Coordinates of all heavy atoms in Angstrom, one line a residue:
M1 N 9.0 8.1 -8.0 CA 8.9 9.5 -8.4 C 7.6 9.6 -9.2 O 7.4 8.9 -10.1 CB 10.1 9.9 -9.2 CG 10.2 11.4 -9.6 SD 10.2 12.5 -8.2 CE 11.9 12.4 -7.6
P2 N 6.8 10.6 -8.9 CA 5.6 10.8 -9.7 C 5.8 11.0 -11.2 O 6.8 11.6 -11.6 CB 5.0 12.1 -9.0 CG 5.6 12.2 -7.7 CD 7.0 11.6 -7.8
A3 N 4.9 10.6 -11.9 CA 4.9 10.7 -13.4 C 3.7 11.5 -13.9 O 3.0 11.1 -14.8 CB 4.9 9.3 -14.1
F4 N 3.5 12.7 -13.2 CA 2.3 13.5 -13.5 C 2.4 14.2 -14.8 O 1.4 14.8 -15.3 CB 2.1 14.5 -12.4 CG 1.8 13.8 -11.0 CD1 2.4 14.3 -9.9 CD2 0.9 12.8 -11.0 CE1 2.1 13.7 -8.7 CE2 0.6 12.2 -9.7 CZ 1.2 12.6 -8.6
A5 N 3.6 14.3 -15.4 CA 3.7 15.0 -16.7 C 2.8 14.4 -17.8 O 2.4 15.2 -18.6 CB 5.2 15.0 -17.1
N6 N 2.6 13.2 -17.7 CA 1.7 12.5 -18.7 C 0.4 12.3 -18.1 O 0.2 11.4 -17.3 CB 2.4 11.2 -19.2 CG 1.5 10.4 -20.1 OD1 0.4 10.9 -20.5 ND2 2.0 9.3 -20.6
P7 N -0.7 13.0 -18.5 CA -2.0 12.9 -17.9 C -2.6 11.5 -18.2 O -3.6 11.2 -17.5 CB -2.8 14.1 -18.4 CG -2.1 14.4 -19.7 CD -0.6 14.1 -19.5
Y8 N -2.1 10.8 -19.1 CA -2.7 9.5 -19.5 C -1.9 8.3 -19.0 O -2.2 7.2 -19.3 CB -2.8 9.4 -21.0 CG -3.5 10.6 -21.6 CD1 -2.9 11.6 -22.2 CD2 -4.9 10.6 -21.5 CE1 -3.6 12.7 -22.8 CE2 -5.6 11.7 -22.0 CZ -5.0 12.7 -22.6 OH -5.7 13.8 -23.1
G9 N -0.8 8.6 -18.2 CA 0.1 7.6 -17.7 C -0.6 6.5 -16.9 O -0.2 5.4 -16.9
G10 N -1.6 6.8 -16.1 CA -2.3 5.8 -15.3 C -3.4 5.1 -16.0 O -4.0 4.2 -15.5
N11 N -3.8 5.5 -17.2 CA -4.9 4.9 -17.9 C -4.5 3.5 -18.4 O -3.4 3.2 -18.8 CB -5.3 5.7 -19.2 CG -5.9 7.0 -18.8 OD1 -6.1 7.3 -17.7 ND2 -6.1 7.9 -19.8
V12 N -5.5 2.6 -18.3 CA -5.3 1.2 -18.8 C -6.1 1.1 -20.1 O -7.2 1.4 -20.1 CB -5.8 0.2 -17.7 CG1 -5.7 -1.2 -18.2 CG2 -5.1 0.4 -16.4
P13 N -5.4 0.7 -21.2 CA -6.0 0.8 -22.5 C -7.1 -0.3 -22.7 O -7.8 -0.2 -23.7 CB -4.8 0.5 -23.4 CG -3.9 -0.3 -22.6 CD -4.0 0.2 -21.2
K14 N -7.3 -1.2 -21.8 CA -8.4 -2.2 -21.9 C -8.8 -2.6 -20.6 O -8.3 -2.3 -19.6 CB -7.8 -3.4 -22.7 CG -6.7 -4.1 -21.9 CD -6.2 -5.3 -22.7 CE -5.1 -6.1 -21.9 NZ -5.6 -6.7 -20.7
K15 N -9.9 -3.4 -20.6 CA -10.4 -4.0 -19.3 C -9.3 -5.0 -18.9 O -8.8 -5.8 -19.7 CB -11.7 -4.7 -19.5 CG -12.9 -3.8 -19.8 CD -13.3 -3.0 -18.6 CE -14.5 -2.1 -19.0 NZ -14.9 -1.3 -17.9
M16 N -9.0 -5.0 -17.6 CA -8.0 -5.9 -17.1 C -8.6 -7.2 -16.7 O -9.8 -7.3 -16.3 CB -7.4 -5.3 -15.8 CG -6.4 -4.2 -16.0 SD -5.5 -3.8 -14.5 CE -6.7 -2.8 -13.7
T17 N -7.8 -8.3 -16.9 CA -8.2 -9.6 -16.4 C -8.0 -9.6 -14.9 O -7.4 -8.7 -14.3 CB -7.4 -10.7 -17.0 OG1 -6.0 -10.5 -16.6 CG2 -7.5 -10.7 -18.6
K18 N -8.6 -10.6 -14.3 CA -8.4 -10.8 -12.8 C -6.9 -10.8 -12.5 O -6.4 -10.2 -11.5 CB -9.1 -12.0 -12.3 CG -9.0 -12.3 -10.9 CD -9.8 -13.5 -10.5 CE -9.6 -14.0 -9.1 NZ -10.4 -15.2 -8.8
E19 N -6.1 -11.6 -13.3 CA -4.7 -11.7 -13.0 C -4.0 -10.4 -13.2 O -3.0 -10.1 -12.5 CB -4.1 -12.8 -14.0 CG -4.6 -14.2 -13.6 CD -6.0 -14.5 -14.1 OE1 -6.5 -13.8 -14.9 OE2 -6.6 -15.5 -13.5
E20 N -4.4 -9.6 -14.2 CA -3.7 -8.3 -14.4 C -4.1 -7.3 -13.3 O -3.2 -6.6 -12.8 CB -4.2 -7.7 -15.7 CG -3.6 -8.4 -17.0 CD -4.3 -8.0 -18.3 OE1 -5.5 -7.6 -18.3 OE2 -3.6 -8.1 -19.3
L21 N -5.3 -7.4 -12.7 CA -5.7 -6.6 -11.6 C -4.8 -7.0 -10.4 O -4.4 -6.1 -9.6 CB -7.2 -6.7 -11.3 CG -7.6 -6.0 -10.1 CD1 -7.3 -4.5 -10.2 CD2 -9.1 -6.2 -9.9
I22 N -4.6 -8.3 -10.2 CA -3.8 -8.7 -9.0 C -2.4 -8.1 -9.2 O -1.8 -7.6 -8.2 CB -3.8 -10.3 -8.9 CG1 -5.2 -10.7 -8.5 CG2 -2.7 -10.8 -8.0 CD1 -5.4 -12.2 -8.6
Q23 N -1.8 -8.2 -10.4 CA -0.5 -7.6 -10.6 C -0.5 -6.1 -10.3 O 0.4 -5.5 -9.7 CB 0.0 -7.8 -12.0 CG 0.5 -9.2 -12.3 CD 1.8 -9.5 -11.6 OE1 1.8 -9.8 -10.4 NE2 2.9 -9.4 -12.3
A24 N -1.6 -5.4 -10.8 CA -1.7 -3.9 -10.5 C -1.8 -3.7 -9.0 O -1.2 -2.7 -8.5 CB -2.9 -3.4 -11.3
L25 N -2.5 -4.5 -8.3 CA -2.7 -4.3 -6.8 C -1.3 -4.4 -6.2 O -1.0 -3.7 -5.2 CB -3.6 -5.3 -6.3 CG -5.1 -5.1 -6.6 CD1 -6.0 -6.2 -6.1 CD2 -5.6 -3.7 -6.1
R26 N -0.4 -5.3 -6.6 CA 0.9 -5.4 -6.1 C 1.7 -4.1 -6.2 O 2.4 -3.7 -5.3 CB 1.6 -6.6 -6.7 CG 1.1 -8.0 -6.3 CD 1.9 -9.1 -7.0 NE 1.3 -10.4 -6.5 CZ 0.8 -11.3 -7.4 NH1 0.9 -11.1 -8.7 NH2 0.3 -12.4 -6.9
I27 N 1.5 -3.5 -7.4 CA 2.2 -2.2 -7.6 C 1.6 -1.2 -6.7 O 2.3 -0.3 -6.1 CB 2.1 -1.8 -9.0 CG1 2.9 -2.8 -9.9 CG2 2.6 -0.4 -9.2 CD1 2.7 -2.6 -11.4
D28 N 0.2 -1.2 -6.5 CA -0.4 -0.2 -5.7 C 0.0 -0.4 -4.2 O 0.3 0.6 -3.5 CB -2.0 -0.4 -5.7 CG -2.6 -0.1 -7.1 OD1 -1.9 0.7 -7.9 OD2 -3.7 -0.6 -7.4
I29 N 0.2 -1.6 -3.8 CA 0.6 -1.9 -2.4 C 2.0 -1.3 -2.2 O 2.3 -0.7 -1.2 CB 0.5 -3.4 -2.0 CG1 -1.0 -3.7 -1.9 CG2 1.2 -3.7 -0.7 CD1 -1.3 -5.2 -1.9
A30 N 2.9 -1.6 -3.2 CA 4.3 -1.1 -3.1 C 4.3 0.4 -3.1 O 5.1 1.0 -2.3 CB 5.1 -1.6 -4.3
S31 N 3.4 1.1 -3.8 CA 3.3 2.5 -3.8 C 2.9 3.1 -2.5 O 3.4 4.1 -2.0 CB 2.3 3.0 -4.9 OG 2.8 2.6 -6.2
E32 N 1.9 2.4 -1.8 CA 1.5 2.8 -0.5 C 2.6 2.7 0.5 O 2.8 3.5 1.4 CB 0.3 2.0 0.0 CG -1.0 2.1 -0.9 CD -1.6 3.5 -0.8 OE1 -1.3 4.3 0.1 OE2 -2.5 3.8 -1.7
L33 N 3.4 1.6 0.4 CA 4.5 1.4 1.3 C 5.6 2.5 1.1 O 6.1 3.0 2.0 CB 5.2 0.0 1.1 CG 4.4 -1.2 1.6 CD1 5.0 -2.5 1.1 CD2 4.3 -1.2 3.1
E34 N 5.8 2.9 -0.2 CA 6.7 3.9 -0.5 C 6.2 5.3 0.1 O 7.0 6.0 0.7 CB 6.9 4.1 -2.0 CG 8.0 5.2 -2.3 CD 8.2 5.2 -3.8 OE1 7.3 5.0 -4.6 OE2 9.3 5.6 -4.2
A35 N 4.9 5.5 0.0 CA 4.4 6.8 0.6 C 4.6 6.8 2.1 O 4.9 7.8 2.7 CB 2.9 6.9 0.2
I36 N 4.3 5.6 2.8 CA 4.5 5.6 4.2 C 6.0 5.9 4.6 O 6.2 6.7 5.5 CB 4.2 4.2 4.7 CG1 2.7 3.9 4.7 CG2 4.7 4.0 6.2 CD1 2.3 2.5 4.9
F37 N 6.9 5.4 3.8 CA 8.3 5.6 4.0 C 8.6 7.1 3.9 O 9.3 7.7 4.7 CB 9.2 4.8 3.0 CG 10.6 5.2 3.0 CD1 11.5 4.7 4.0 CD2 11.1 6.0 2.1 CE1 12.8 5.0 4.0 CE2 12.5 6.3 2.0 CZ 13.3 5.8 3.0
L38 N 8.1 7.7 2.9 CA 8.4 9.2 2.6 C 7.8 10.1 3.7 O 8.4 11.0 4.2 CB 7.9 9.6 1.2 CG 8.6 8.9 0.0 CD1 8.0 9.2 -1.3 CD2 10.1 9.4 0.0
Y39 N 6.5 9.8 4.0 CA 5.9 10.7 5.0 C 6.6 10.6 6.4 O 6.8 11.6 7.1 CB 4.4 10.3 5.2 CG 3.5 10.7 4.0 CD1 2.7 9.8 3.4 CD2 3.6 12.0 3.5 CE1 1.9 10.2 2.3 CE2 2.8 12.4 2.4 CZ 2.0 11.5 1.8 OH 1.2 11.9 0.8
E40 N 7.0 9.4 6.7 CA 7.7 9.2 8.0 C 9.1 9.8 8.0 O 9.5 10.5 8.9 CB 7.8 7.7 8.4 CG 8.5 7.4 9.7 CD 7.7 8.0 10.9 OE1 6.5 8.4 10.8 OE2 8.4 8.2 11.9
A41 N 9.7 9.7 6.8 CA 11.1 10.3 6.7 C 10.9 11.8 6.8 O 11.8 12.5 7.5 CB 11.7 10.0 5.3
H42 N 9.9 12.4 6.2 CA 9.7 13.9 6.3 C 9.4 14.3 7.8 O 9.9 15.3 8.3 CB 8.6 14.3 5.4 CG 8.9 14.1 4.0 ND1 7.9 14.0 3.0 CD2 10.0 13.8 3.3 CE1 8.4 13.8 1.8 NE2 9.7 13.7 2.0
A43 N 8.6 13.5 8.5 CA 8.2 13.8 9.8 C 9.5 13.7 10.7 O 9.6 14.5 11.7 CB 7.1 12.8 10.3
L44 N 10.3 12.7 10.5 CA 11.5 12.6 11.3 C 12.5 13.7 11.1 O 13.4 14.0 11.9 CB 12.2 11.2 11.0 CG 11.5 10.0 11.5 CD1 12.1 8.7 10.9 CD2 11.5 9.9 13.0
A45 N 12.4 14.3 9.9 CA 13.4 15.4 9.5 C 13.1 16.8 9.9 O 13.8 17.7 9.6 CB 13.6 15.3 8.0
I46 N 11.9 16.9 10.6 CA 11.5 18.3 11.0 C 11.2 18.3 12.5 O 11.0 17.3 13.2 CB 10.3 18.7 10.3 CG1 9.1 17.8 10.5 CG2 10.6 18.9 8.8 CD1 7.8 18.2 9.9
D47 N 11.2 19.6 13.1 CA 10.9 19.8 14.5 C 9.5 20.3 14.8 O 9.0 20.2 15.9 CB 11.9 20.8 15.1 CG 13.4 20.2 15.1 OD1 13.5 19.0 15.3 OD2 14.3 21.0 14.9
D48 N 8.9 20.8 13.7 CA 7.5 21.4 13.9 C 6.5 20.3 14.3 O 6.3 19.3 13.4 CB 7.1 22.1 12.6 CG 5.8 22.8 12.8 OD1 4.7 22.2 12.9 OD2 5.8 24.1 12.9
E49 N 6.0 20.3 15.5 CA 5.1 19.3 15.9 C 3.8 19.2 15.2 O 3.2 18.1 15.0 CB 4.8 19.4 17.4 CG 6.0 19.1 18.3 CD 6.6 17.7 18.1 OE1 5.8 16.8 18.0 OE2 7.8 17.6 18.0
V50 N 3.2 20.3 14.7 CA 2.0 20.3 13.9 C 2.3 19.6 12.6 O 1.5 18.7 12.2 CB 1.5 21.7 13.7 CG1 0.3 21.7 12.7 CG2 1.0 22.3 15.0
A51 N 3.3 19.9 11.9 CA 3.7 19.3 10.7 C 3.9 17.8 10.9 O 3.4 17.0 10.0 CB 4.9 20.0 10.0
K52 N 4.6 17.4 11.9 CA 4.8 16.0 12.2 C 3.5 15.3 12.4 O 3.2 14.2 11.9 CB 5.6 15.8 13.5 CG 7.1 16.0 13.4 CD 7.7 15.8 14.8 CE 9.2 16.0 14.8 NZ 9.9 14.9 14.2
K53 N 2.5 15.9 13.1 CA 1.2 15.3 13.4 C 0.5 15.1 12.1 O -0.1 14.0 11.8 CB 0.4 16.2 14.3 CG -0.9 15.6 14.7 CD -1.6 16.5 15.8 CE -2.9 15.9 16.2 NZ -3.6 16.7 17.2
V54 N 0.5 16.1 11.2 CA -0.2 16.0 9.9 C 0.4 14.9 9.1 O -0.3 14.1 8.5 CB -0.3 17.4 9.2 CG1 -0.8 17.2 7.8 CG2 -1.1 18.4 10.0
L55 N 1.7 14.9 8.9 CA 2.4 13.9 8.1 C 2.2 12.5 8.6 O 1.9 11.6 7.8 CB 3.9 14.2 8.0 CG 4.3 15.5 7.2 CD1 5.7 15.9 7.5 CD2 4.0 15.3 5.8
R56 N 2.2 12.3 9.9 CA 2.0 11.0 10.5 C 0.5 10.6 10.4 O 0.2 9.4 10.2 CB 2.5 11.0 11.9 CG 4.0 11.0 11.9 CD 4.6 10.8 13.2 NE 6.1 10.5 13.1 CZ 7.0 11.0 13.9 NH1 6.6 11.6 15.0 NH2 8.2 10.7 13.7
D57 N -0.4 11.5 10.4 CA -1.8 11.2 10.1 C -2.0 10.7 8.7 O -2.7 9.7 8.4 CB -2.7 12.4 10.4 CG -4.2 12.1 10.1 OD1 -4.7 11.2 10.9 OD2 -4.7 12.7 9.2
I58 N -1.4 11.4 7.8 CA -1.4 11.0 6.3 C -0.7 9.6 6.2 O -1.3 8.7 5.5 CB -0.8 12.0 5.4 CG1 -1.6 13.3 5.5 CG2 -0.7 11.5 4.0 CD1 -0.9 14.5 4.9
R59 N 0.4 9.4 6.9 CA 1.1 8.1 6.8 C 0.2 7.0 7.3 O 0.1 5.9 6.6 CB 2.3 8.2 7.8 CG 3.1 6.9 7.9 CD 3.8 6.8 9.3 NE 2.9 6.9 10.4 CZ 3.2 7.2 11.6 NH1 4.5 7.4 11.9 NH2 2.4 7.3 12.6
D60 N -0.6 7.2 8.4 CA -1.5 6.2 8.9 C -2.6 5.9 7.9 O -3.1 4.8 7.8 CB -2.0 6.6 10.3 CG -0.9 6.6 11.3 OD1 0.2 6.0 11.0 OD2 -1.1 7.2 12.4
E61 N -3.1 6.9 7.2 CA -4.1 6.7 6.2 C -3.6 5.7 5.1 O -4.3 4.9 4.6 CB -4.6 8.0 5.6 CG -5.4 8.8 6.6 CD -5.7 10.2 6.0 OE1 -5.6 10.5 4.8 OE2 -6.2 11.0 6.9
E62 N -2.3 5.9 4.7 CA -1.7 5.0 3.7 C -1.7 3.6 4.3 O -1.9 2.6 3.5 CB -0.3 5.5 3.4 CG -0.1 6.9 2.9 CD -0.9 7.2 1.6 OE1 -1.3 6.3 0.9 OE2 -1.2 8.4 1.4
K63 N -1.4 3.4 5.6 CA -1.5 2.1 6.2 C -2.9 1.5 6.0 O -3.0 0.3 5.8 CB -1.1 2.1 7.6 CG 0.4 2.5 7.8 CD 0.8 2.5 9.3 CE 2.2 2.9 9.5 NZ 2.6 3.0 11.0
E64 N -3.9 2.3 6.2 CA -5.3 1.8 6.0 C -5.5 1.4 4.6 O -6.1 0.3 4.3 CB -6.3 2.9 6.4 CG -6.4 3.2 7.9 CD -7.3 4.3 8.2 OE1 -8.3 4.6 7.4 OE2 -7.2 4.9 9.3
H65 N -4.9 2.1 3.6 CA -5.0 1.8 2.2 C -4.4 0.4 2.0 O -5.0 -0.4 1.2 CB -4.4 2.8 1.3 CG -5.0 4.2 1.4 ND1 -4.4 5.3 0.9 CD2 -6.2 4.6 1.8 CE1 -5.2 6.3 1.1 NE2 -6.3 5.9 1.6
I66 N -3.3 0.1 2.6 CA -2.7 -1.2 2.4 C -3.6 -2.3 2.9 O -3.8 -3.3 2.3 CB -1.3 -1.3 3.2 CG1 -0.3 -0.4 2.5 CG2 -0.8 -2.7 3.3 CD1 1.0 -0.3 3.2
G67 N -4.3 -2.0 4.1 CA -5.2 -3.0 4.6 C -6.4 -3.2 3.6 O -6.8 -4.4 3.3
E68 N -6.9 -2.2 3.0 CA -7.9 -2.3 2.0 C -7.5 -3.1 0.8 O -8.2 -4.0 0.3 CB -8.5 -0.9 1.6 CG -9.2 -0.2 2.7 CD -9.4 1.3 2.5 OE1 -8.6 1.9 1.7 OE2 -10.4 1.8 3.0
L69 N -6.3 -2.7 0.3 CA -5.8 -3.4 -0.9 C -5.5 -4.9 -0.6 O -5.7 -5.7 -1.5 CB -4.5 -2.7 -1.4 CG -4.7 -1.3 -2.0 CD1 -3.4 -0.5 -2.2 CD2 -5.5 -1.3 -3.3
M70 N -4.9 -5.2 0.6 CA -4.7 -6.6 0.9 C -6.0 -7.3 1.0 O -6.0 -8.5 0.6 CB -3.9 -6.6 2.2 CG -2.4 -6.2 2.1 SD -1.5 -7.1 0.9 CE -1.5 -8.7 1.6
S71 N -7.0 -6.7 1.6 CA -8.3 -7.4 1.6 C -8.8 -7.7 0.2 O -9.3 -8.8 0.0 CB -9.3 -6.6 2.4 OG -9.0 -6.5 3.7
L72 N -8.7 -6.7 -0.7 CA -9.1 -7.0 -2.0 C -8.3 -8.1 -2.7 O -8.8 -8.9 -3.4 CB -9.0 -5.7 -2.8 CG -9.4 -5.7 -4.3 CD1 -10.9 -6.3 -4.5 CD2 -9.3 -4.3 -4.9
M73 N -7.0 -8.0 -2.4 CA -6.1 -9.1 -3.0 C -6.5 -10.4 -2.5 O -6.5 -11.4 -3.3 CB -4.6 -8.8 -2.5 CG -3.6 -9.8 -3.0 SD -3.2 -9.7 -4.7 CE -2.0 -8.3 -4.6
Q74 N -6.8 -10.6 -1.2 CA -7.2 -11.9 -0.7 C -8.5 -12.3 -1.3 O -8.7 -13.5 -1.6 CB -7.4 -11.8 0.8 CG -6.1 -11.7 1.5 CD -6.2 -11.5 3.0 OE1 -6.6 -12.5 3.7 NE2 -5.9 -10.4 3.6
Y75 N -9.4 -11.4 -1.6 CA -10.7 -11.7 -2.2 C -10.4 -12.2 -3.7 O -11.1 -13.2 -4.1 CB -11.6 -10.5 -2.3 CG -12.7 -10.5 -3.2 CD1 -13.9 -11.3 -2.9 CD2 -12.7 -9.9 -4.4 CE1 -15.0 -11.4 -3.8 CE2 -13.8 -10.0 -5.3 CZ -14.9 -10.7 -5.0 OH -16.0 -10.8 -5.8
L76 N -9.5 -11.6 -4.4 CA -9.3 -12.0 -5.8 C -8.4 -13.2 -5.9 O -8.4 -13.9 -6.9 CB -8.6 -10.8 -6.5 CG -9.5 -9.5 -6.7 CD1 -8.7 -8.4 -7.2 CD2 -10.7 -9.9 -7.6
D77 N -7.5 -13.4 -4.9 CA -6.4 -14.4 -5.0 C -6.5 -15.3 -3.8 O -5.9 -15.0 -2.7 CB -5.1 -13.8 -5.2 CG -3.9 -14.8 -5.3 OD1 -4.2 -16.0 -5.1 OD2 -2.8 -14.3 -5.5
G78 N -7.3 -16.4 -3.8 CA -7.5 -17.2 -2.7 C -6.1 -17.8 -2.2 O -6.0 -18.0 -1.0
D79 N -5.2 -18.0 -3.0 CA -3.9 -18.5 -2.6 C -3.2 -17.5 -1.7 O -2.6 -17.9 -0.7 CB -3.0 -18.8 -3.8 CG -3.4 -20.0 -4.6 OD1 -4.2 -20.9 -4.0 OD2 -3.0 -20.1 -5.7
M80 N -3.3 -16.2 -2.0 CA -2.7 -15.2 -1.2 C -3.3 -15.2 0.2 O -2.5 -15.1 1.2 CB -2.9 -13.8 -1.8 CG -2.4 -12.7 -1.0 SD -0.6 -12.8 -0.8 CE -0.1 -11.5 -1.9
A81 N -4.5 -15.4 0.4 CA -5.2 -15.5 1.7 C -4.6 -16.6 2.5 O -4.3 -16.4 3.7 CB -6.7 -15.6 1.6
G82 N -4.3 -17.7 1.9 CA -3.7 -18.9 2.6 C -2.3 -18.6 3.0 O -1.9 -18.9 4.1
F83 N -1.5 -18.0 2.1 CA -0.1 -17.6 2.4 C -0.1 -16.6 3.6 O 0.8 -16.7 4.5 CB 0.6 -17.1 1.2 CG 0.9 -18.2 0.2 CD1 0.5 -18.0 -1.1 CD2 1.6 -19.3 0.5 CE1 0.8 -19.0 -2.1 CE2 1.9 -20.3 -0.4 CZ 1.5 -20.1 -1.7
L84 N -0.9 -15.6 3.6 CA -0.9 -14.6 4.7 C -1.3 -15.3 6.0 O -0.7 -15.0 7.0 CB -1.9 -13.5 4.3 CG -1.5 -12.6 3.2 CD1 -2.6 -11.6 2.8 CD2 -0.2 -11.8 3.5
K85 N -2.3 -16.2 6.0 CA -2.7 -16.9 7.2 C -1.5 -17.7 7.7 O -1.3 -17.7 8.9 CB -3.9 -17.7 6.9 CG -4.5 -18.4 8.1 CD -5.8 -19.1 7.8 CE -6.3 -19.8 9.1 NZ -7.5 -20.5 8.8
E86 N -0.9 -18.4 6.8 CA 0.3 -19.2 7.2 C 1.4 -18.4 7.8 O 2.0 -18.7 8.8 CB 0.7 -20.0 6.0 CG 1.8 -21.1 6.3 CD 2.1 -21.9 5.1 OE1 1.2 -22.3 4.3 OE2 3.3 -22.2 4.9
G87 N 1.7 -17.3 7.1 CA 2.7 -16.4 7.6 C 2.4 -15.8 9.0 O 3.3 -15.8 9.9
N88 N 1.1 -15.4 9.2 CA 0.7 -14.9 10.5 C 0.9 -16.0 11.5 O 1.3 -15.7 12.7 CB -0.7 -14.5 10.4 CG -0.9 -13.1 9.8 OD1 0.0 -12.3 9.9 ND2 -2.1 -12.9 9.2
G89 N 0.5 -17.2 11.2 CA 0.7 -18.3 12.2 C 2.1 -18.6 12.6 O 2.4 -18.8 13.7
E90 N 3.0 -18.5 11.6 CA 4.4 -18.7 11.9 C 5.0 -17.6 12.8 O 5.8 -17.9 13.7 CB 5.2 -18.7 10.6 CG 5.0 -20.0 9.7 CD 5.8 -20.0 8.4 OE1 6.8 -19.2 8.3 OE2 5.5 -20.8 7.5
V91 N 4.6 -16.4 12.6 CA 5.0 -15.3 13.5 C 4.5 -15.5 14.9 O 5.2 -15.3 15.9 CB 4.7 -13.9 12.9 CG1 4.9 -12.8 13.9 CG2 5.4 -13.7 11.6
K92 N 3.2 -15.8 15.0 CA 2.6 -16.0 16.3 C 3.3 -17.2 17.1 O 3.4 -17.1 18.3 CB 1.1 -16.3 16.1 CG 0.3 -15.1 15.8 CD -1.2 -15.3 15.6 CE -1.9 -14.0 15.3 NZ -3.3 -14.2 15.1
E93 N 3.7 -18.2 16.4 CA 4.4 -19.3 17.0 C 5.7 -18.8 17.6 O 6.2 -19.3 18.7 CB 4.8 -20.4 16.0 CG 3.6 -21.2 15.7 CD 3.9 -22.3 14.6 OE1 5.1 -22.5 14.4 OE2 3.0 -22.9 14.1
M94 N 6.3 -17.8 17.0 CA 7.6 -17.2 17.5 C 7.5 -16.2 18.6 O 8.4 -15.9 19.3 CB 8.4 -16.6 16.3 CG 8.8 -17.5 15.3 SD 9.6 -16.6 13.9 CE 9.2 -17.7 12.5
M95 N 6.3 -15.8 18.8 CA 6.0 -14.7 19.8 C 5.9 -15.2 21.2 O 5.4 -16.2 21.6 CB 4.8 -13.9 19.5 CG 5.0 -13.1 18.2 SD 3.5 -12.4 17.6 CE 3.5 -10.8 18.3

């Protein structure tokens, strides 16, 4: 649920360390996933094709954001890059 009532809610009181930024990116990724869920739920709940198209376009932009955030995460956290590669390999073996 948005917390827009506090205009300072998103401010960070100090420069973040690399580790703190990685933690913040995890929250950002979770927020993008939540947005995807909500836009798709709204699109599924209506019949208007124009509204569906717009909502699904916005949903897809959120998916791009996840890709951007994951790329940044891999840049900042070399271990994450290895785990993602390993996970991709395991899925490919099952396909």
Side-chain angles (χ1 to χ4, degrees):
M1 186 58 75
F4 297 136
N6 178 357
Y8 305 103
N11 292 354
V12 178
K14 64 178 183 67
K15 295 288 184 183
M16 286 190 280
T17 65
K18 181 178 171 180
E19 291 75 21
E20 290 168 333
L21 177 56
I22 290 168
Q23 283 291 81
L25 290 174
R26 290 182 179 121
I27 294 170
D28 294 338
I29 291 165
S31 297
E32 297 291 347
L33 288 169
E34 183 178 34
I36 290 167
F37 171 80
L38 292 172
Y39 289 127
E40 182 62 18
H42 298 160
L44 290 170
I46 59 173
D47 292 326
D48 186 287
E49 290 303 317
V50 173
K52 281 181 182 283
K53 184 175 181 179
V54 170
L55 289 167
R56 288 186 168 145
D57 179 66
I58 296 168
R59 174 207 60 198
D60 291 345
E61 290 173 13
E62 304 301 337
K63 291 178 181 181
E64 289 178 22
H65 295 164
I66 289 174
E68 293 169 328
L69 292 167
M70 290 301 298
S71 293
L72 180 55
M73 177 76 81
Q74 290 177 68
Y75 166 77
L76 294 169
D77 181 354
D79 290 341
M80 177 63 104
F83 287 124
L84 290 173
K85 185 176 180 180
E86 188 174 318
N88 281 329
E90 289 180 15
V91 170
K92 286 181 181 178
E93 287 178 11
M94 295 179 209
M95 294 171 91

